[in-house]
Amino acid sequence: MATTSSSPSMAIPGQFLGPVSKFQPGPGTHIHESNLYASLLGVVNIAQPAKAPGPVKRLNKIINTQTSPAELPTISVLRAAGSSDKREVLPEVGNVVLCRVIRIMPRQAVVAILICGDTVLEAEWQGLIRVQDVRATEKDRVKIYDSFRPGDIVRAEVISLGDQASYYLSTARNELGVIMATSEAGNTMYPVNWKEYKDPETGLSEPRKVAKPY
Amino acid sequence: MSTESPLVVLPGEAIDPSLIPTHKKKPLRLGPGLRHIPPSEIVPTVAGQLVVDHRKTSMWIEYNGGRYIPSQGDLIIGQIARSATDFYYVSLSPYTPNATLPHLAFESATKKTRPQLASGDLVYARVSLANRHMDPELECVNSSTGKSDGLGPLKDGMVFDVSLGFARRLLMAKSREEGKVEVLEALGEEGLAFETAVGRNGKVWVGSESVKAVVVVGRALRETDERGLGVEAQRKLVKKLVREMR
């Protein structure tokens, strides 16, 4: 490789991009022995720094500008995509997602994450809402059967990327919870209060952890 | 107050509106086997005898199904399949998933002083949670009072299989009049000393000091169930069995 000062335009995972003294690491890159390497297969972007940058939150790492005296350009590797719409969106920690309840068990509810933020996901990711993450108060007396039922649409927040099988989600805020539910008789129900949905045809109400409407 | 001639209905049959009890203030209550389709249709979902109670303005269907479906509040006899971290897996019937029974759901049970049940042991428990989305959960203690009310592990004795309808009749409060089941009382009158526990899932546990008594009681129950004996025939059967035993 004769390139000494210029970084490549396309990168494969593990490709050397530049030293840490010249670039700031962005998404798709990682540092190894004070050198920047690409983590993804894609196009290399170099972003010139803004005039007055504040502390930047990137994934889980806060970059403090005091430690980078000169404003270094940020180098990042983005997946090459035909059109920007096809870029795959993954749920990150702190995202509010919409999901459908697949299965309920005594200590957790298994859900399928359908929508992350505003984008409909191409693949359905599995999520888990544990019994202690359903509510903020009285966590030990939560009953999953009185909070969710299979088929409900739930608004939840991602609290952890979880393990190999599923993300961990939480509905422990007022505006999180069940937003759409179907009754046992098969009719769409409307919410009555924070813990009940009512079927307009039969008049029966069913317990759920209801999300506060905006 | 049930109707004089038993009315047998099939699933989906229309019910004569004159049979439905009406009351100005009390709402009509539907028991198992009936389904309400708004606004005014009441449809049976199982085949059986339609029973109407005018005093309580309720109606339900007495049926003898083959498959036990757990419902909340039922008393059942289960067998411990295995023990997990916090609960036992209890088998209610060979064709359904196991129910869970928490380790501490016994009277005055703490982590140190709880009954240690092995796989294969029998328990008399109540269904605390049953719905079609989750496996049933059991308890051996009344969660509000903390007393066991006769629930808990069953030692010695023997379990006999009976039909679900017979188990329900045995569990009725007035088993002699309404259930037409007198076999247990008759056996007691003959001088046999035994105790029984009836599980709604079609199991009856019989325990006694003498093995012969257990066998006689079990035979009497089985014959009454299989042959559908009436009260008089039950008494004759009991007399015959006790005579054979002696």
Side-chain angles (χ1 to χ4, degrees), chain A residues 52-75:
Chain A
V56 173
K57 231 188 228 183
R58 208 153 315 192
L59 289 176
N60 293 331
K61 191 167 159 225
I62 297 181
I63 299 171
N64 205 340
T65 46
Q66 268 92 33
T67 56
S68 57
E71 275 76 29
L72 297 173
T74 305
I75 192 166

Side-chain angles (χ1 to χ4, degrees), chain B residues 22-38:
Chain B
T22 52
H23 194 276
K24 273 191 266 246
K25 290 194 197 143
K26 284 194 239 168
L28 174 68
R29 290 167 51 174
L30 295 180
L34 286 170
R35 191 166 157 227
H36 174 229
I37 300 179

Side-chain angles (χ1 to χ4, degrees), chain A residues 104 106-107 145 149-150 184 201-202, chain B residues 38 86-87 129 131-134 137:
Chain A
I104 52 174
R107 303 256 181 90
Y145 186 62
R149 297 274 167 97
E184 304 249 325
E201 257 194 56
T202 60
Chain B
D86 275 335
F87 42 80
L129 177 76
N131 57 71
R132 53 185 185 179
H133 302 299
M134 286 168 25
E137 290 178 19

Side-chain angles (χ1 to χ4, degrees), chain A residues 130-143 172:
Chain A
R130 294 173 301 173
V131 70
Q132 61 263 37
D133 299 325
V134 171
R135 278 208 307 245
T137 56
E138 282 194 335
K139 291 187 195 184
D140 48 344
R141 302 221 281 173
V142 171
K143 291 200 185 149

Side-chain angles (χ1 to χ4, degrees), chain A:
Chain A
M1 289 291 169
T3 54
T4 48
S5 53
S6 66
S7 48
S9 57
M10 291 275 302
I12 55 175
Q15 182 151 354
F16 171 75
L17 296 176
V20 173
S21 51
K22 280 194 63 187
F23 295 109
Q24 285 231 40
T29 63
H30 61 275
I31 300 176
H32 179 67
E33 288 175 359
S34 53
N35 279 330
L36 280 171
Y37 294 92
S39 307
L40 302 174
L41 166 69
V43 176
V44 178
N45 276 8
I46 302 177
Q48 296 307 323
K51 287 287 166 155
V56 173
K57 231 188 228 183
R58 208 153 315 192
L59 289 176
N60 293 331
K61 191 167 159 225
I62 297 181
I63 299 171
N64 205 340
T65 46
Q66 268 92 33
T67 56
S68 57
E71 275 76 29
L72 297 173
T74 305
I75 192 166
S76 57
V77 180
L78 300 169
R79 283 196 175 95
S83 64
S84 55
D85 297 345
K86 282 188 154 199
R87 197 149 302 164
E88 196 178 320
V89 175
L90 285 180
E92 299 290 336
V93 176
N95 281 7
V96 172
V97 297
L98 290 179
C99 42
R100 181 193 301 124
V101 179
I102 305 281
R103 197 161 67 230
I104 52 174
M105 277 135 64
R107 303 256 181 90
Q108 59 209 17
V110 178
V111 302
I113 301 177
L114 306 170
I115 297 176
C116 176
D118 283 332
T119 46
V120 178
L121 298 178
E122 286 205 4
E124 275 190 10
W125 301 104
Q126 192 181 65
L128 213 62
I129 305 180
R130 294 173 301 173
V131 70
Q132 61 263 37
D133 299 325
V134 171
R135 278 208 307 245
T137 56
E138 282 194 335
K139 291 187 195 184
D140 48 344
R141 302 221 281 173
V142 171
K143 291 200 185 149
I144 288 279
Y145 186 62
D146 292 340
S147 315
F148 305 115
R149 297 274 167 97
D152 289 350
I153 306 290
V154 172
R155 182 184 296 131
E157 183 189 357
V158 179
I159 50 174
S160 159
L161 299 182
D163 53 15
Q164 201 179 31
S166 45
Y167 288 87
Y168 283 107
L169 309 175
S170 161
T171 54
R173 286 210 313 255
N174 282 350
E175 59 268 12
L176 301 176
V178 178
I179 55 175
M180 239 164 65
T182 313
S183 74
E184 304 249 325
N187 309 313
T188 313
M189 302 196 281
Y190 61 86
V192 177
N193 53 35
W194 70 273
K195 53 183 180 178
E196 265 180 37
Y197 263 90
K198 200 168 156 125
D199 181 341
E201 257 194 56
T202 60
L204 299 170
S205 52
E206 291 181 21
R208 298 285 202 279
K209 199 270 173 191
V210 183
K212 193 168 172 163
Y214 287 113

Side-chain angles (χ1 to χ4, degrees), chain B residues 183-212:
Chain B
V183 74
L184 293 177
E185 283 92 352
L187 283 164
E189 280 168 24
E190 295 286 330
L192 290 178
F194 61 91
E195 48 176 357
T196 54
V198 181
R200 204 65 163 67
N201 54 332
K203 305 231 183 303
V204 178
W205 173 84
V206 184
S208 171
E209 292 268 329
S210 90
V211 176
K212 273 194 193 173

